Amino acid sequence: MLTKRIIPCLDVKDGRVVKGVQFVDLKDAGDPVELAAFYDEQGADELVFLDISASHEGRETMVEVVEEVAGTLAIPFTVGGGINSLADMKRVLRAGADKVSLNTSAVLRPELITEGADYFGSQCIVVAIDAKYDDELGSWRIWTHGGRNATEWEAVAWAKEAVKRGAGEILLTSMDCDGEKAGFDVSLTKAINDAVTVPVIASGGAGCKDDFYEIFEQSGCDAALAASIFHYKETSVQEVKVALKEKGVEIR
């Protein structure tokens, strides 16, 4: 059985880590390099860095910040935001990332997933999915450009398509739960996890240590990602891991 992973996330805008609620009302949460070093020391299994305004602003990921963050880390490091081509992937991987996260660019041009997987291997390609429940659809709809643009894609169908095209991992964010601290979206995560054969990272909604146990037990996902509860020291990676271990969850 694969051990469960705990992953802090750095949402970066203008060189600073920010956190909002349902993708809006962003507040400053600190320096990305300092936070990265802190989480490495804390025992985080991986770190995700998302340049959250790059796609919306039509620019490349902030490579110099990625280099600085990578220089502090001894754990796997995923970088996303504004990655639109193989050249962008190469640039970010050379800067020190271990994996690249594709979101808007993959929806707009799904062939990009296959190009990346063929060149670097599927283990290097994470497809990030921002999903929100849609009454009209009767399911979860995919949104792009940092949660600004609705698409025609239904979440489970898009996750299957992404994996078919070569995604080695799915980073799944519930826009409904993001920043609410009321728990992860179990039904969405389980639906995606049951539909694909690659690891699924649950994101959006962590409010306490018990939320991590609930999402692992009820959805079967492989990893859980959180931001604000770690950034603002409401709990720590170490405390979450201790609590999970006490409940018999296999962790690293």
Side-chain angles (χ1 to χ4, degrees):
M1 176 181 148
L2 283 173
T3 53
K4 305 297 188 183
R5 291 169 288 149
I6 305 299
I7 305 175
C9 181
L10 306 179
D11 292 323
V12 179
K13 187 173 192 292
D14 303 325
R16 298 286 294 178
V17 177
V18 295
K19 195 66 198 91
V21 175
Q22 296 191 356
F23 289 38
V24 295
D25 296 330
L26 301 178
K27 294 181 175 62
D28 188 89
D31 175 75
V33 180
E34 287 172 12
L35 281 169
F38 174 72
Y39 291 133
D40 197 341
E41 287 164 18
Q42 279 258 312
D45 297 304
E46 297 185 19
L47 188 72
V48 170
F49 173 111
L50 300 175
D51 186 343
I52 60 169
S53 58
S55 289
H56 172 61
E57 292 169 6
R59 59 170 172 78
E60 297 167 350
T61 313
M62 293 177 289
V63 169
E64 64 286 352
V65 184
V66 172
E67 283 174 347
E68 281 188 72
V69 170
T72 71
L73 293 177
I75 55 175
F77 180 35
T78 299
V79 174
I83 297 173
N84 299 304
S85 65
L86 269 184
D88 290 341
M89 293 183 209
K90 286 178 187 173
R91 196 177 300 112
V92 164
L93 292 166
R94 283 197 191 110
D98 299 283
K99 298 186 253 189
V100 295
S101 172
L102 308 175
N103 189 330
T104 299
S105 58
V107 177
L108 296 179
R109 196 169 74 82
E111 302 80 26
L112 184 62
I113 303 169
T114 311
E115 289 167 14
D118 286 349
Y119 196 93
F120 300 107
S122 283
Q123 82 290 339
C124 193
I125 307 300
V126 179
V127 169
I129 292 176
D130 295 334
K132 188 176 188 178
Y133 194 79
D134 188 304
D135 290 327
E136 193 182 317
L137 195 62
S139 185
W140 298 272
R141 188 180 295 281
I142 299 299
W143 289 64
T144 59
H145 298 84
R148 291 173 180 86
N149 298 356
T151 75
E152 294 300 311
W153 277 103
E154 186 273 333
V156 174
W158 172 236
K160 286 180 173 177
E161 179 70 15
V163 172
K164 188 173 87 179
R165 287 179 178 271
E169 196 164 46
I170 298 292
L171 169 51
L172 175 67
T173 299
S174 164
M175 292 174 65
D176 297 305
C177 295
D178 178 70
E180 296 286 354
K181 298 188 183 175
F184 293 96
D185 192 327
V186 172
S187 51
L188 168 63
T189 308
K190 184 169 177 19
I192 300 289
N193 193 68
D194 289 351
V196 300
T197 53
V198 301
V200 173
I201 304 167
S203 168
C208 66
K209 290 176 283 192
D210 289 342
D211 292 337
F212 291 86
Y213 178 73
E214 180 188 50
I215 195 64
F216 287 140
E217 287 300 297
Q218 295 188 22
S219 78
C221 69
D222 299 83
L225 177 148
S228 54
I229 63 163
F230 293 148
H231 299 341
Y232 300 125
K233 313 283 196 295
E234 291 163 37
T235 187
S236 69
V237 172
Q238 201 58 48
E239 286 170 356
V240 169
K241 287 190 161 192
V242 168
L244 289 170
K245 207 167 191 178
E246 285 172 355
K247 292 186 175 182
V249 177
E250 289 284 327
I251 55 163
R252 292 182 183 179

